[in-house]
Amino acid sequence: MSKRILVCLFAVAVILLGTAAAQMLPWFYWTLLPQGQRDEIIGEASGESAWNHTMELAGYDKDRLKAEYAGTFYEAQYVYDMLKRYGLPGAEIVTYPGGEVWDAVKGELWEVSPRRQKLSSATDMTVLLVRGSNSADVKGELVWVGRGTAEEIERAKVDGKIVVTDGNVATAHNLACMEKGALGVVAISDSRPHFDPLQIPFSSIRGGSADRPAKFAFYMTARDGEYLKQRLLRGQKITAHAQVETTMEKYVNQNVVCHIPGTDPAAGEVILSAHLFEGYTKQGANDNGSGSGAILDVARTLHTLIQEGRLPRPKRTIRFLWGPEFAGTGPWVKAHKDLMAKTLCNINMDMVGEWLSRNKAHMMLIRTTFGNPHYINDVMENYYRFVGEGNRERIHNRGNELRIPHRLVAPSGADEPFYYSIETHYGASDHEVFNDWGVRVPGIMMIAWPDQWYHTSGDRTDKADPTQLKRVVFIGAAGAYTVAAADDDMAVKIAGEVAANGARRLGYKLNVALEALNVATVETLAADYRMARIQVETTLENEKATLQTVLELGADKALVGDYVGRMAATVEQLGKTQLAAVDEHMKAVAKRLKTAPVTIKLTELEAKAAKIVPRTTAKVKENGYRGYQELLAKVPEAERKKHPFGQRDFGSLTELHLLINGKRSALDILNALDAQYPVKSNLQSLLNYLEILKLAGLVEM
C-alpha cells in the first residue's frame, strides 16, 4: 500500500473521529470525578433553591428604595445574608467607587379627553417609564407618527404635542422632541410583539446636552397600545396628561464575596462569578438573577459536602464573586492582582436559568480563545456532555429499566432533555474581565441562548426552570471541584480528556479546511489552500498549548509532564496527518479545476511579518484589569498617525492582545485571528498596531 493511500486512510479516520461526538454510545457515560463524588454533588445540588434565589433576587421589577442608594442594595444584602446563613467563610460586601444613576420617583400618563383613563404608569411596571426621562407635568394632544421616521414626524407637525409611535423610542424622541419641539413620546412596544404582546424592552432616551435635557417617554404594551393606535388612525383627538418625577442618585458599586478554603493556600484558586446587577434600575430573573442564584447554590452545595465530610476538602480555594456586570467585577479584579496571579480559571454564569424548551434554547459552554488556552474548557465539556447525553431517551434503551440513564431533574422542574452546545468564544459578560490582557485568567461562560424575553419586562421567574438550574449547579460545582481538588492522577485524566477532545476538534477543522478547498476556483485556489492549512495549523497549536496548561495541576511535574508530552506528540501526529490530507485534497481539487497544484508563497509583507516576534512586557499586567489602556492613551497622536490602523481591521483586537506570547510571529498572530473570526485581519494594520504597543511600552519585538 502506497504512502499516499496510508495518509488518506488515516485522514479519513481522523474525520470520522470528528463526527463521533454525535454518535455517543447509548450505554457509556463518564465524568472526570469518580461516581461516588459525582453522585454526592448531584444529590446535594438544588435547582429549587437556585430558583427560589432567582425569585427573591429578581422576581419582579422593583422600584428601588432611596435608602438602598445610601446604604446596601437589596440584592447584595440578600446574597450576603444567605451566605452567612449557610456559614460560608469570608462572606463580605466590598464596595468600589460608583457614580450617578437615573431613578424614577413617579411616572403617570393619563388620557384626560375625550375620556379619563390611565394609559401607562410606572406604578404598575417600573419599565413603562423609559430610563432617562426627565421630570415633567404637561398636557398635550397625542399625535400618531407611525414608525417615527423623520418624514413621518415632519408631516405630523409635532411641536407642543406628545407623539405616539410603534417604532424605536429613542429615535422618535431624538427626532420629535430634541429637534421638533414635541413634549414627549408614547412608544408602543415593538419588542417581539407577535411572540409576546405584553413584553416591554429595557430602553433609554438621552438629551442633546446639559442645556438641552431629554423630555420623557412612556411605553405601552403592543396589546394595549393597539387600541390607542387605532383611535388615532381614525382621527380621534386625544389629550393626555403626563406627570413625571425623576432624580439622579449617587451609588457605590457593591460586590459580595466568599470562599471555600483549600488545604494549600499557595496552590491557587478557582473563581465562580455572576453579575448581580446590570445597571441598578433594571432587574432580570434570568439576566442575571439565575446566574447569581445558581452560584449561590454551588457555594452552599460544595460547602455542605465538604463540611459534612462527603467530599474531601480540595487542595485549592474556591472563591465566589457577585457584583455589577463589569462595573463591579472589573474594580474587584483590579484590586486583587496578587490573587489573580494564582487564580487558575474562572467559571462565569450568565442567564443560566432558562426553561430551555420554552425558550427554544441551548445551554451553551462558551470556550476561551486561542490566545488564552486552558483545560477548563474540557473539564466543563465533560460535565455538559454527561448531563446532556445522560438526560435523553435513546431507542436503544427503550426496553431498559433506566430508559434515561442519568436522569437529573428537580422536584417541580421540567422533565426534558438537556439541550446543550459547546461554542467558540463570545464575550459580553464578566468572564471577559478575567480573560482581559492585563489579567490573563482563562474564563469560560455558561449561558442559555436564545432567551425570548431577554432585556424585557418578561424576564421573570416563570420563564426559569428548577431542573435546568439543578443541572447548571451540578455542572458548575463539579467543574470547580474537579480543578480545585485535582491531584496528579486527575491531571493525567484531564490531559487525556483534552487530547481526546482535541482529536475531535482537529477532525472538525479538517472538515472546514476541505470545504474551503471544495469551493475554490482557479483564481482563489492558492488563497483557499493557504487558509485551509491555517485552519488546521492554528488549531493544532491551540490543542498543544491547552495540554501544556494541565502542568499547573501536577505535583509530580516529571510524571504529569511526561504524560502531557506523550499526549502532545500524539496530537502533533494527528495534525501532521491532517495537513498531509489537506495537501492531497488540494491536488485533487487542482486536477478537477484543470490547473496545476499550488504552493504557498509569502508576500514581501508576510515574509517581514514572519520575522517579527512580539512579546509582552511586565507593564501589561502592572496595573491589572485594563490598566494597559492608560499607557496606550499616552502614545502621542503624531506617532499614531505614523502607524494607522482601525478597530475594524482586526477580527478581534482583544484576541490580538492575547495572542502575543513571545513565540508567535506577527504572521502567526494574523493566522490565528483569521482562523477564529469571519472578518479577516489586515496585516499592515496589525504591524502598525504592534508599533503602537511598542511605543506604549507594552511589547518588545
Side-chain angles (χ1 to χ4, degrees), residues 26 50 174 211-212 394 492 508 561 631 641:
N174 289 342
D211 58 346
R212 294 180 64 240
R394 285 190 172 89
V492 167
Y508 171 75
L631 296 175
K641 289 181 178 179

Side-chain angles (χ1 to χ4, degrees), residues 479-497:
Y481 186 78
T482 297
V483 176
D487 55 12
D488 291 337
D489 289 340
M490 180 59 75
V492 167
K493 288 181 68 175
I494 291 173
E497 188 89 4

Side-chain angles (χ1 to χ4, degrees), residues 210-227:
D211 58 346
R212 294 180 64 240
K215 300 295 181 66
F216 64 83
F218 284 92
Y219 261 120
M220 295 181 70
T221 65
R223 181 189 67 183
D224 295 343
E226 184 65 22
Y227 291 100

